[in-house]
Amino acid sequence: MSKVDAFIKKKDEELEEKTLRSKHYQWYIVIFMGLVGFLDNNLNLMEGQVIPDILTDFGITDVFFAFWQGIFGIVTFAVFFLSWFTDAFGRKKGIFVLILLMGIPAFLMPFLATNIWIFYILYSILITGTISNIWEIPVSEEAPAKKRATYGGIATLISLIPLYAIIGDDIAIALGWQWSYGIFFFVMLGLLVLLYFMKEPQRWNDAKEKRGHEFLKFKTAIKSFNKKDWTYALMSFVVYGIWAIGLKVGNAWGRHYYESVRTEYFPQLEWDTIILVAGLMILLGAILSGIIMDRVSRKVTLIVSCSGSVLGFVLLGITGSPIAMWIAYLSMAIVFTWIMVYFTEVFRTEIRTTGMGIAALGSRLSYVFGPLLASVMLAAFPDMVMFWVIPGLLMIIPLFILFLKPYETKGKSLEEIQEER
């Protein structure tokens, strides 16, 4: 490193020190944002536990459910405005809206979801919140460069605690499947209490100061994207979109696969056991992702996780083995953590959540095309072999972004990344 580079790096580190708060506050943000993510992911993944109950309760077929789930998924495109709102009005206000967007529909589910159409309406609003993932933004902006991936991984780890796998089915049996969602209203109340102690990240305050205390207009936010920003927006759109298709297919129809098609695994191995181990694999994946990103590189993390996802999905379709499913869950969790860390650090502060909003649009496409693809595959492949193989092969696509030579962010401050990339 030349003297000039060393001087610049030292200045960046000094600037970063000015933007960071105490370690106690950093850990508060990690835990609080992790719990917001916990509400997010458990509401998102609960459907895998209750779809069989919904099919029985409303007397509908799996193909019907998947098709209309995709149609109502169009609502989730509104998530982009939540991301813009968070850039324009602040991270704290954005998190407040996010918590309400998830918690209120969850609370209404036991009282209003008396037919399939009301369920779809409440579900689509709830899912619009769960796909934003803006809870990772404050973690990235409050973390020191050398621990950003680790802190992001810990927040993601907390978010992926598989409560849906532990109590989802039990609540559905005892109180009705609607309460499997409704119970999370009480989590929302706890999060609103914790929100009181949150402060705006200094980096957001600095960006607001730079633009003269004016609200970041939607059109202005888009116009402020430069060529590099659009390149990373395209990368995030593709990776997040493909990943989310695999998630929608895998999470929603795993129980149906084992209880209706691969019945040879029962009663020796029950679905509750399979999904609980899968949930633990998700936790392990979040831990491994943070470690690999901080100690090796972001690029290697993407290669390893996508390759593992392909292997898991393909073997799941061919063999039906729960081990293959666990490999898929582990690998997809590593991909998810990579997405949450990398794309929150590679965008500039003033457009960070807007950039993540574009990424979320890719994910939102999956909430339309994922269920629609599932409805076609359920009808075309009753043995469900290709039902799993096709999403597995799709996970090869994210690896092609490596040809765009994405900037390696390991160990660098957000200021360094913004200047160098």
Side-chain angles (χ1 to χ4, degrees):
M1 181 183 294
S2 67
K3 291 183 178 180
V4 175
D5 290 337
F7 176 78
I8 294 174
K9 185 174 180 63
K10 183 178 179 181
K11 287 296 181 182
D12 285 334
E13 289 174 350
E14 291 175 354
L15 179 61
E16 182 184 52
E17 283 297 320
K18 293 179 181 179
T19 65
L20 297 179
R21 293 190 169 90
S22 68
K23 288 185 178 180
H24 291 295
Y25 183 79
Q26 290 174 21
W27 276 108
Y28 154 76
I29 282 294
V30 169
I31 295 171
F32 176 40
M33 292 301 109
L35 291 173
V36 176
F38 168 80
L39 177 63
D40 174 329
N41 285 312
N42 275 277
L43 288 174
N44 196 3
L45 298 174
M46 186 61 73
E47 66 177 19
Q49 292 292 85
V50 301
I51 282 180
D53 299 311
I54 294 174
L55 300 183
T56 301
D57 195 14
F58 295 131
I60 57 177
T61 66
D62 50 5
V63 175
F64 177 96
F65 178 87
F67 175 80
W68 284 104
Q69 186 184 38
I71 298 300
F72 275 85
I74 295 172
V75 174
T76 63
F77 284 92
V79 71
F80 186 78
F81 295 99
L82 176 59
S83 299
W84 163 79
F85 177 88
T86 307
D87 270 340
F89 295 91
R91 309 317 193 205
K92 185 172 183 177
K93 291 184 178 69
I95 294 296
F96 173 68
V97 174
L98 172 63
I99 293 171
L100 295 181
L101 198 60
M102 295 186 292
I104 292 178
F107 174 71
L108 294 176
M109 196 76 76
F111 306 103
L112 300 182
T114 55
N115 66 62
I116 188 63
W117 307 112
I118 296 177
F119 164 76
Y120 280 135
I121 292 170
L122 293 174
Y123 175 81
S124 60
I125 296 171
L126 180 154
I127 290 298
T128 299
T130 70
I131 61 177
S132 71
N133 292 314
I134 62 174
W135 50 269
E136 274 283 3
I137 300 293
V139 178
S140 180
E141 293 180 338
E142 297 285 9
K146 294 181 180 179
K147 294 183 179 180
R148 193 165 53 248
T150 299
Y151 283 1
I154 293 172
T156 304
L157 174 67
I158 295 171
S159 78
L160 294 173
I161 295 173
L163 192 64
Y164 66 93
I166 300 171
I167 67 170
D169 195 39
D170 291 334
I171 291 177
I173 293 171
L175 302 174
W177 61 266
Q178 292 93 338
W179 275 106
S180 296
Y181 289 101
I183 195 71
F184 287 97
F185 171 74
F186 301 102
V187 177
M188 183 198 80
L189 295 179
L191 292 176
L192 291 176
V193 174
L194 289 175
L195 179 68
Y196 176 80
F197 303 99
M198 182 181 175
K199 303 173 184 176
E200 285 296 341
Q202 188 58 44
R203 286 186 168 101
W204 184 85
N205 285 328
D206 291 343
K208 178 183 176 183
E209 184 76 28
K210 187 177 180 181
R211 63 176 179 260
H213 296 278
E214 294 181 0
F215 294 140
L216 185 64
K217 297 179 180 178
F218 178 77
K219 187 176 180 181
T220 304
I222 295 298
K223 282 187 174 181
S224 67
F225 274 59
N226 58 37
K227 185 177 179 181
K228 280 290 185 181
D229 293 328
W230 282 114
T231 298
Y232 286 104
L234 174 63
M235 290 182 189
S236 64
F237 184 88
V238 171
V239 178
Y240 204 0
I242 296 297
W243 173 87
I245 288 176
L247 175 72
K248 287 300 293 179
V249 170
N251 176 68
W253 299 103
R255 182 177 180 181
H256 178 76
Y257 180 52
Y258 280 107
E259 294 187 350
S260 301
V261 179
R262 290 287 185 173
T263 55
E264 67 268 25
Y265 288 97
F266 294 92
Q268 295 88 348
L269 190 60
E270 295 185 352
W271 168 250
D272 285 349
T273 302
I274 295 175
I275 193 61
L276 178 58
V277 175
L280 296 176
M281 289 299 102
I282 289 178
L283 298 181
L284 178 60
I287 296 171
L288 290 176
S289 189
I291 293 173
I292 299 171
M293 279 190 283
D294 270 344
R295 297 190 179 182
V296 185
S297 73
R298 275 43 167 178
K299 293 177 184 178
V300 169
T301 306
L302 179 64
I303 293 170
V304 170
S305 57
C306 286
S307 301
S309 299
V310 174
L311 177 65
F313 273 110
V314 172
L315 288 179
L316 180 58
I318 295 174
T319 69
S321 171
I323 295 176
M325 185 178 186
W326 297 333
I327 292 173
Y329 266 74
L330 172 69
S331 302
M332 292 290 279
I334 297 175
V335 178
F336 175 69
T337 308
W338 181 88
I339 292 169
M340 292 297 98
V341 171
Y342 187 73
F343 291 117
T344 56
E345 62 187 3
V346 80
F347 286 112
R348 293 177 288 121
T349 300
E350 59 267 30
I351 62 164
R352 183 163 290 122
T353 47
T354 303
M356 284 299 290
I358 294 175
L361 280 178
S363 177
R364 287 336 27 96
L365 280 173
S366 72
Y367 279 78
V368 177
F369 293 116
L372 292 179
L373 176 63
S375 69
V376 171
M377 293 191 299
L378 285 167
F381 310 116
D383 63 359
M384 294 188 74
V385 174
M386 294 305 298
F387 182 91
W388 301 107
V389 171
I390 290 173
L393 296 178
L394 287 177
M395 285 303 296
I396 297 174
I397 295 175
L399 294 175
F400 284 97
I401 74 164
L402 296 174
F403 290 107
L404 296 175
K405 298 180 180 180
Y407 179 76
E408 179 56 58
T409 57
K410 174 193 171 188
K412 297 184 178 181
S413 70
L414 296 183
E415 289 72 27
E416 282 182 273
I417 296 168
Q418 184 166 311
E419 181 179 344
E420 294 179 4
R421 73 159 178 77

